[in-house]
Amino acid sequence: MGKFRAATVAAFVGALCLGQAAGAQTFLRADLINGNEPGPIVPTTVGGAARPGSFGTAFFTLNAAQTQMTFTATIFNIDFTGTQTTDINDNLTVAHIHAGPGATPTLPVVWGFFGLPFNDNNPNDVVTTPFATGVGGTISGKWDAAEGNNTTLAAQLPNILNNHAYINFHTTQFGGGEVRGTLTVVPEPSTVLLMASGLFAVGLAGRSRRKIRRS
């Protein structure tokens, strides 16, 4: 590796480390599908006809002090109001975060944000926005330090940060959960941008060196 390219890589790595150190927030993501639930989840209507599978994505941000975690989840093909479809099987009944040190398939409810138990109450930060057309909606909230279902955010952080927590949406048909996703730590957006720009710089350096050698 040429001196210029090596210096570029070193500068990129240094900037990346600096960006990670400065990035105090922690970001997590959960991809929710029927297949993440234990047992076969085959959504049907009350009459037994097939209905579309439910799915969604949830994004979480744990603040620098690790005293609150905000989230926004968007879910498709689960009825958020009870009136988005004429059937009741797809009605959203409760939604929670489950966590614990043990193995899945089922972990305890540690924080509820829709239905019971409801733990986003100090204060209540939940905002539920059903789709204007179609079936589903978006829901957001904030788990504060003082909240929890017989636990606290601080007590659950080791589970949340080590893939031992999942977000679960329950329906009339599937009282144990119709769609869920494991919370997984992901790079913060600025780090991803820094990595992309650094790799781009390394690529430009390599191209410049090749052009100089050809001339």
Side-chain angles (χ1 to χ4, degrees):
M1 183 184 293
K3 291 182 179 179
F4 180 77
R5 190 174 182 185
T8 304
V9 172
F12 163 57
V13 172
L16 178 58
C17 291
L18 179 61
Q20 290 176 329
Q25 293 179 316
T26 302
F27 299 87
L28 304 97
R29 173 186 174 123
D31 294 314
L32 297 95
I33 59 172
N34 299 137
N36 288 339
E37 297 283 357
I41 301 296
V42 182
T44 64
T45 65
V46 171
R51 61 180 174 88
S54 43
F55 63 95
T57 308
F59 297 94
F60 306 81
T61 302
L62 180 64
N63 71 339
Q66 298 190 332
T67 56
Q68 59 183 224
M69 183 171 71
T70 58
F71 85 97
T72 298
T74 302
I75 307 297
F76 297 86
N77 297 327
I78 287 182
D79 190 337
F80 268 53
T81 65
T83 60
Q84 291 178 315
T85 70
T86 57
D87 193 72
I88 65 169
N89 268 9
D90 60 356
N91 288 359
L92 178 63
T93 55
V94 294
H96 319 109
I97 291 178
H98 300 242
T104 53
T106 303
L107 295 174
V109 174
V110 294
W111 188 69
F113 56 88
F114 187 94
L116 297 176
F118 185 81
N119 305 115
D120 193 348
N121 51 17
N122 195 19
N124 183 345
D125 300 294
V126 171
V127 177
T128 303
T129 308
F131 293 157
T133 58
V135 182
T138 298
I139 186 167
S140 62
K142 182 175 66 176
W143 186 352
D144 292 293
E147 300 170 348
N149 188 50
N150 300 315
T151 186
T152 63
L153 175 61
Q156 295 304 322
L157 283 177
N159 297 320
I160 292 170
L161 297 175
N162 289 284
N163 300 328
H164 281 277
Y166 58 87
I167 185 170
N168 204 11
F169 287 79
H170 307 246
T171 60
T172 300
Q173 182 177 16
F174 297 105
E178 177 166 319
V179 62
R180 74 160 69 166
T182 299
L183 276 65
T184 304
V185 175
V186 295
E188 67 173 290
S190 61
T191 299
V192 174
L193 181 61
L194 185 63
M195 291 176 66
S197 61
L199 291 173
F200 180 69
V202 171
L204 286 180
R207 290 184 61 184
S208 298
R209 292 288 295 172
R210 286 193 295 273
K211 287 181 179 179
I212 292 171
R213 288 173 182 169
R214 291 194 187 110
S215 60

